[in-house]
């Protein structure tokens, strides 16, 4: 099983960019599909993006398509989320997660992203 630690969050103005990173421990990282999710205050957790084990398949939530890009480096046990053209509605705690089978069952502690108008 992996352990996940996110970093890279912060405060940015609308229109700006941030790159989130997720560091995974363990030698089986490449066997997991990885995902990014976010949760804003008072809202349900929302799917942001996912990337398959070999990075050949990526999915995005409708609200971030064309602005966010998910990538991974299996040699470094890292997954990234490049966020461009940020909007105030992107403000949330962002989590990376590892999927085993059909469910995401390992989660990081989250990193706060705040986008000011």
């Amino acid at each position: 099983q992996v352990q996940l630690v996110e970093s890279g969050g912060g405060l940015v103005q609308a229109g700006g960019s941030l790159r989130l990173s997720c560091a995974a421990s363990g030698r089986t990282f490449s066997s997991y599909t990885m995902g990014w999710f976010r949760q804003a205050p008072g809202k349900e957790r929302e799917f942001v993006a996912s990337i398959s084990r070999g990075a050949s398949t990526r999915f995005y939530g409708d609200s971030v398509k064309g602005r966010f890009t998910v990538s991974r480096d299996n040699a470094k046990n890292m997954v990234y989320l490049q966020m461009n053209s940020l909007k105030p509605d992107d403000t949330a705690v962002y989590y990376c997660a590892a999927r085993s089978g059909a469910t995401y069952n390992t989660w990081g502690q989250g990193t706060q992203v705040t986008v000011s108008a």
Side-chain angles (χ1 to χ4, degrees):
Q1 198 169 18
V2 294
Q3 291 184 322
L4 306 172
V5 178
E6 302 95 334
S7 61
L11 174 64
V12 64
Q13 288 187 331
S17 297
L18 279 175
R19 187 196 197 202
L20 304 183
S21 299
C22 176
S25 64
R27 290 178 287 180
T28 60
F29 173 73
S30 61
S31 67
Y32 293 90
T33 290
M34 298 299 296
W36 285 97
F37 295 79
R38 67 186 182 186
Q39 188 164 21
K43 295 186 177 181
E44 293 187 353
R45 187 167 57 198
E46 176 188 14
F47 169 77
V48 174
S50 67
I51 185 166
S52 62
R53 292 173 292 179
S56 60
T57 304
R58 309 176 198 208
F59 292 105
Y60 296 94
D62 288 342
S63 60
V64 307
K65 281 180 183 176
R67 300 188 298 123
F68 290 10
T69 302
V70 61
S71 61
R72 68 190 295 164
D73 185 337
N74 286 341
K76 295 181 179 179
N77 281 14
M78 297 291 294
V79 62
Y80 306 99
L81 186 68
Q82 178 67 42
M83 307 186 295
N84 298 329
S85 302
L86 283 161
K87 306 174 182 179
D89 284 348
D90 294 318
T91 295
V93 177
Y94 284 71
Y95 300 89
C96 73
R99 193 175 84 193
S100 178
T103 59
Y104 288 93
N105 51 18
T106 302
W107 296 81
Q109 85 289 349
T111 186
Q112 175 72 46
V113 172
T114 302
V115 184
S116 62

